[in-house]
Amino acid sequence: MTWDLPAGWRWTPLRELLLPVRTQLPPERIDADTLYLGLEHVQAGTGEYTGTRAGDAHLRSPKLAFEAGDVLYGKLRPNLRKCVVARTAGVCSIDLVPLRPVEPDAAHLLALQMRSDPFTADVLRLVGGVNLPRVTVRDLLTLALPVPPAADRDRVHAVAQAATTLRRRYREVEQTVLDLEGYAAEVVLGLR
């Protein structure tokens, strides 16, 4: 890593910050109303996702279960920086790795750091596969992230969570503006 750390921060391996969640569910055990996230539902580099109902996804293979607050990291094509914090429980494709924060309040900070350019550069050194470049969970967990000192953790975690919330609200407002513009255009053209 090439980050200059503030005083009191320390490098900590991911394996000490996040625990892989390996609960696989066969499709017949997944409730139709369960949130399903595939890699295609996660926006690159933003921490945003949409998802769909498992019943609408026509699942045919086992999926990984996750809980609200888990960090989901896209191990396929990690250069896209697909990493989110789950807002609710659900299931995901095996191309997303559910990781449970040892310190639950740290989820948003960890996801933010895992989407960063320096972290992604480190991940890309571990990637294997030409057609489908991916990182293994074992290799991912060997990387380290900067952790704030105990005295600063609550403040830093709150800032990271606020950034995530503001980004989501921004996207919602942006969509509302697009919807209103579309409606206005239809009214002007006499389509409504």
Side-chain angles (χ1 to χ4, degrees), residues 120-142:
T120 301
D122 282 349
V123 170
L124 292 178
R125 287 191 268 282
L126 303 174
V127 167
V130 175
N131 293 330
L132 295 173
R134 68 181 67 233
V135 63
T136 67
V137 177
R138 184 183 59 212
D139 286 345
L140 181 69
L141 295 175
T142 65

Side-chain angles (χ1 to χ4, degrees), residues 60-117:
R60 291 187 282 268
S61 60
K63 303 301 174 205
L64 297 171
F66 60 84
E67 296 295 326
D70 285 352
V71 174
L72 307 176
Y73 184 82
K75 66 181 182 176
L76 179 65
R77 294 188 180 95
N79 61 304
L80 297 177
R81 301 178 300 131
K82 292 190 173 192
C83 184
V84 300
V85 176
R87 294 186 295 273
T88 62
V91 294
C92 63
S93 76
I94 61 168
D95 293 324
L96 286 166
V97 179
L99 301 163
R100 186 147 304 141
V102 171
E103 196 176 317
D105 290 343
H108 293 278
L109 176 62
L110 294 171
L112 183 72
Q113 291 172 316
M114 292 171 76
R115 288 190 304 270
S116 72
D117 290 337

